[in-house]
Amino acid sequence: MRTYLVTGGAGFIGSNYIQYMFRKYGKDIRIINVDVLTYAGNLENLKAVEDYDNYTFVRADICDSDAIRKIFKENDIDRVVHFAAESHVDRSILNPEVFVKTNVLGTLVMLNAAKEAWELPDGTYKENKRFLHVSTDEVYGSLEEDGTYFYETTPIDPHSPYSASKASSDMLVKAYIDTYKFPANITNCSNNYGPYQFPEKLIPLIINNALQGKKLPVYGDGKNVRDWLYVDDHAKAIDMVQESGRLGERYNIGGHNEKQNIEIINIILETLIEMLPDSDPRKANVSKDLITYVTDRKGHDRRYAIAPDKIKAEIGWYPETMFEEGIKKTIKWYFENEDWMKNVTSMEYQKYYDDMYKNR
Ligand code: NAD
Ligand code: DAU
């Protein structure tokens, strides 16, 4: 039985990945999820799997080298899938330090612990061990609206403290590959959407606000472009890279689904009106009049667009969920899971929201 160590598995993508893996492999795998449970980590996301015999949760900080090494000592880990990170650009602009600590130093701790556990005296590695570093398209910087794309060969050019910290962590992984022949891959994925995404990010924030009749904040002119991918397609890509990717390689992940932010907001409003039954009192709140243009994000990247040619050609990955279907599934999930939303917005969220949006 293969053992996976997943970091940040209580967050948005990590929790969807863990559920995807159990759906795909059932009892043939074991997953250990290590997460410190920041504001973004939520064990409710894993209710469906928490009682599985082949699932274990460990609450620990990836910067805590002793705690991470202990997990490797006590378990024969075959695969590391490293999601744990501070992930929100706006927060990184207000408070960069924690991004460097978790995203850069935390990644270094994970690399060292895996290397120590897997390396043989002659400098080679135990068989069939692999580390996958989950990164982002934001490390490539920003594109013009000119039909160009991010390739794996595009120079790294991050702009926000978040993307700079992710670029640094990518560089560390690359350094371990180049220096120690460490068995790793890096994946750089575009914007994900789907269930369990924390409502600081555009899509769940707009759904939540629209259902409550609150203003829908659009940064700048609303024409910044993001390339949206349904979260299960990201999970599938990660699994395929770990199974058949060439060791040491970087793979871009994206579904050619570029949309302006304002288009996304309009689609959400139209879909909510279409899907909510007339008997649902929240339907009366949903209106385009809620759209409010606010001060732009500092250093706001204009456009992201991934060229997924390499992962398609080498590994045969392709996205299965088209945006029209994925956004409907996502919106339905949010309006059917009002309690989840209430729980995650009940504590620190209100203060965050006021700080970020009150005087914007
Ligand atoms: P998220 O913020 O929803 O979840 C992050 C998780 O990491 C949380 O569960 C949190 O508790 C945990 N965590 C944070 N600091 C930790 C620490 N010091 N020790 C242990 N656990 C810690 O993030 P997400 O959107 O699920 O993103 C996951 C990964 O995917 C990140 O590395 C991010 O850079 C990358 N990524 C995200 C997207 C996206 O669109 N969301 C796209 C591409 C890549
Ligand atoms: O591209 C991958 C990245 O996508 C990931 O690496 C990040 O972890 C993830 O957070 C995401 O970053 P973005 O900055 O693109 O996502 P966000 O949802 O914060 O914003 C999407 C776009 O919407 C962006 O252009 C800013 C805009 N926006 C966002 C918010 C929260 C608004 O106009 N209003 C808002 O209130």
Side-chain angles (χ1 to χ4, degrees):
M1 186 192 270
R2 186 180 285 167
T3 300
Y4 287 75
L5 177 59
V6 174
T7 72
F12 161 51
I13 306 175
S15 60
N16 277 287
Y17 168 81
I18 290 174
Q19 294 188 53
Y20 172 89
M21 291 297 280
F22 280 133
R23 281 199 303 276
K24 178 160 183 199
Y25 294 104
K27 292 207 170 293
D28 293 341
I29 59 167
R30 202 176 139 229
I31 296 182
I32 301 168
N33 171 18
V34 55
D35 195 305
V36 77
L37 301 180
T38 66
Y39 76 91
N42 182 357
L43 291 179
E44 245 191 274
N45 300 358
L46 292 156
K47 272 245 163 305
V49 305
E50 68 184 8
D51 294 331
Y52 289 8
D53 296 341
N54 50 343
Y55 169 76
T56 309
F57 173 67
V58 179
R59 187 170 188 177
D61 189 332
I62 54 161
C63 300
D64 180 347
S65 162
D66 292 342
I68 299 299
R69 287 165 71 203
K70 184 164 178 273
I71 298 173
F72 277 94
K73 280 213 178 83
E74 290 174 356
N75 300 278
D76 183 13
I77 305 291
D78 300 298
R79 300 277 188 268
V80 174
V81 183
H82 178 37
F83 292 100
E86 289 292 333
S87 69
H88 191 38
V89 174
D90 290 326
R91 288 187 193 251
S92 82
I93 295 167
L94 289 180
N95 181 19
E97 281 90 345
V98 68
F99 282 74
V100 174
K101 183 167 178 283
T102 296
N103 299 1
V104 185
L105 293 179
T107 298
L108 185 66
V109 167
M110 291 305 305
L111 288 166
N112 279 335
K115 179 173 172 291
E116 184 183 292
W118 294 346
E119 197 172 25
L120 296 168
D122 66 357
T124 62
Y125 291 86
K126 292 180 186 166
E127 245 178 75
N128 208 10
K129 306 287 185 190
R130 298 183 77 132
F131 187 108
L132 189 140
H133 176 61
V134 180
S135 190
T136 168
D137 58 0
E138 299 201 13
V139 302
Y140 298 120
S142 180
L143 295 166
E144 299 300 321
E145 287 149 49
D146 58 359
T148 51
Y149 292 97
F150 294 139
Y151 288 87
E152 287 80 359
T153 48
T154 301
I156 302 299
D157 181 24
H159 298 135
S160 72
Y162 163 69
S163 52
S165 69
K166 291 297 291 188
S168 308
S169 61
D170 290 15
M171 292 301 184
L172 278 173
V173 178
K174 185 177 177 304
Y176 273 59
I177 293 167
D178 293 347
T179 306
Y180 307 113
K181 307 285 172 255
F182 183 70
N185 288 101
I186 301 169
T187 53
N188 295 86
C189 189
S190 63
N191 285 63
N192 285 213
Y193 69 99
Y196 307 106
Q197 188 168 28
F198 193 77
E200 62 189 354
K201 308 282 165 60
L202 180 71
I203 289 183
L205 186 145
I206 295 297
I207 298 172
N208 185 37
N209 283 16
L211 287 170
Q212 295 182 55
K214 283 166 83 177
K215 287 181 179 168
L216 310 178
V218 184
Y219 297 169
D221 65 3
K223 292 185 178 159
N224 298 66
V225 171
R226 297 292 182 266
D227 182 359
W228 296 95
L229 183 73
Y230 192 65
V231 64
D232 281 356
D233 280 318
H234 188 184
K236 173 176 130 175
I238 288 170
D239 181 40
M240 289 178 79
V241 169
Q242 279 220 315
E243 289 321 298
S244 10
R246 282 184 294 136
L247 273 179
E249 292 293 311
R250 176 192 289 275
Y251 292 93
N252 281 355
I253 307 169
H256 277 309
N257 183 50
E258 292 174 44
K259 297 228 178 316
Q260 291 182 343
N261 296 334
I262 192 67
E263 284 181 77
I264 292 284
I265 293 170
N266 281 317
I267 291 170
I268 292 173
L269 292 174
E270 284 153 19
T271 312
L272 277 172
I273 290 168
E274 183 192 312
M275 291 180 85
L276 281 167
D278 290 340
S279 56
D280 192 316
R282 295 172 296 176
K283 190 166 184 171
N285 294 332
V286 181
S287 159
K288 289 202 175 174
D289 295 341
L290 298 171
I291 293 175
T292 310
Y293 286 85
V294 300
T295 310
D296 208 355
R297 175 184 277 174
K298 287 181 183 155
H300 197 174
D301 287 338
R302 191 62 177 171
R303 173 174 166 258
Y304 302 146
I306 279 281
D309 305 24
K310 178 172 170 180
I311 191 170
K312 281 188 177 169
E314 284 191 14
I315 303 181
W317 175 86
Y318 60 90
E320 283 177 36
T321 304
M322 293 302 103
F323 188 71
E324 294 64 31
E325 180 197 347
I327 196 71
K328 282 194 176 131
K329 271 177 32 182
T330 303
I331 291 173
K332 188 162 181 286
W333 187 88
Y334 280 101
F335 72 67
E336 286 177 356
N337 286 276
E338 219 182 353
D339 285 347
W340 181 92
M341 186 59 88
K342 278 194 182 133
N343 290 344
V344 301
T345 51
S346 64
M347 297 167 289
E348 184 256 3
Y349 183 77
Q350 208 45 55
K351 184 179 175 323
Y352 162 80
Y353 195 87
D354 289 345
D355 289 350
M356 192 62 77
Y357 292 98
K358 207 156 116 199
N359 300 315
R360 192 153 194 158

